[in-house]
Amino acid sequence: MTAVWEVYLQETLINEDELQAKIKELGAQISEDYRDKDLLLICILKGGVLFLTDLMRQISIPHEIDFLAVSSYGKEIRDSTGVVRILKDLDEPIDGRHILIVEDIIDTGHTLDYITRNLIARKPASLKICTLLDKAERREVEIPIDYTGFVIPNKFVFGFGLDLDEKFRELPFIGVVNPGMVVD
Ligand code: IMP
Ligand code: MG
């Protein structure tokens, strides 16, 4: 039987093994870098969820998690409007904490630019960024990325937390959307 998502898939960009191997590497590096620090991972909802849960299982030092939900895209999936709003704020203050933002993808950079400004104003001890995917050629604002999984081409992707009109986040791989299926 053909799964619904297969209709939308042009090609698999990063398969499950490649994703998991990279996440293991990132987890080891983060564990090393934050060895003596009190680490707080801040996951950007909803796209960062699968990355967060796999990443934290590869981090061998004690750490905490919190969640931030922002909106910028609404229903349209092609262009960022550059308008960002907080939909769900962090549960706890972060002053004096070592923060690592866990994000699914950085595209134009507007979302992360807004988030980092907002969080820096809360006076964390440090703030770094970990993104699974970096669509580098689309960047409009410079974002200092500390940990990158994969730099990817300018194609709309889905799976592993990333949605196609809110669907298919559950897929264990990153796929490129069939251009004929993108709803503008
Ligand atoms: P930015 O503000 O343009 O950097 O956009 C970041 C957000 O756009 C990400 O957190 C995603 O939710 C969304 N996004 C950007 N590119 C893609 C994509 O190819 N597939 C799914 N979501 C995307
Ligand atoms: Mg999205």
Side-chain angles (χ1 to χ4, degrees), residues 45-47 72-74 76-77 104-105 156 161-166 169:
L45 295 173
K46 303 168 189 168
S72 63
Y73 271 62
E76 76 271 23
I77 56 173
D104 55 352
I105 186 167
F156 203 83
L162 293 122
D163 68 299
L164 192 56
D165 203 11
E166 291 299 324
R169 296 186 194 272

Side-chain angles (χ1 to χ4, degrees), residues 1 4 20-21 26 31 34 39 41-43 46 76 80-81 91 97 101 106 111 129 131 163 176 178-179:
M1 214 184 79
V4 175
Q20 294 303 328
L26 290 171
S31 307
Y34 287 88
L39 172 62
L41 302 177
I42 294 184
C43 173
K46 303 168 189 168
E76 76 271 23
S80 175
T81 55
D91 289 345
R97 305 291 309 266
I101 296 175
I106 304 180
T111 308
I129 295 173
T131 188
D163 68 299
V176 176
N178 202 332

Side-chain angles (χ1 to χ4, degrees), residues 173-184:
F173 58 87
I174 301 284
V176 176
V177 180
N178 202 332
M181 301 302 289
V182 173
V183 201
D184 272 309

Side-chain angles (χ1 to χ4, degrees), residues 21-177:
K22 182 61 79 177
I23 292 171
K24 194 170 179 180
E25 250 176 57
L26 290 171
Q29 188 62 52
I30 291 164
S31 307
E32 172 70 21
D33 296 350
Y34 287 88
R35 204 173 43 234
D36 306 314
K37 299 201 172 83
D38 179 25
L39 172 62
L40 173 64
L41 302 177
I42 294 184
C43 173
I44 311 304
L45 295 173
K46 303 168 189 168
V49 162
L50 271 74
F51 182 34
L52 173 81
T53 54
D54 281 344
L55 182 65
M56 57 190 293
R57 282 178 280 195
Q58 299 295 341
I59 296 179
S60 56
I61 57 165
H63 58 278
E64 297 176 29
I65 58 172
D66 204 344
F67 297 89
L68 187 68
V70 296
S71 109
S72 63
Y73 271 62
K75 280 280 176 186
E76 76 271 23
I77 56 173
R78 279 294 217 172
D79 286 297
S80 175
T81 55
V83 179
V84 183
R85 279 186 308 129
I86 291 188
L87 301 178
K88 182 235 166 274
D89 207 344
L90 301 172
D91 289 345
E92 304 287 341
I94 56 166
D95 53 295
R97 305 291 309 266
H98 291 284
I99 304 302
L100 182 60
I101 296 175
V102 177
E103 174 66 305
D104 55 352
I105 186 167
I106 304 180
D107 185 27
T108 63
H110 287 292
T111 308
L112 248 287
D113 183 54
Y114 171 82
I115 290 172
T116 48
R117 284 168 197 276
N118 184 291
L119 296 184
I120 283 168
R122 306 183 198 193
K123 307 243 184 305
S126 69
L127 185 134
K128 290 188 175 186
I129 295 173
C130 176
T131 188
L132 180 65
L133 306 176
D134 177 7
K135 231 190 250 181
E137 48 180 281
R138 289 255 306 163
R139 200 74 85 255
E140 291 172 11
V141 234
E142 200 191 322
I143 302 290
I145 308 176
D146 302 281
Y147 304 94
T148 304
F150 303 87
V151 177
I152 64 164
N154 181 14
K155 291 181 175 171
F156 203 83
V157 294
F158 69 110
F160 205 74
L162 293 122
D163 68 299
L164 192 56
D165 203 11
E166 291 299 324
K167 305 280 195 311
F168 312 127
R169 296 186 194 272
E170 71 280 10
L171 299 175
F173 58 87
I174 301 284
V176 176
V177 180

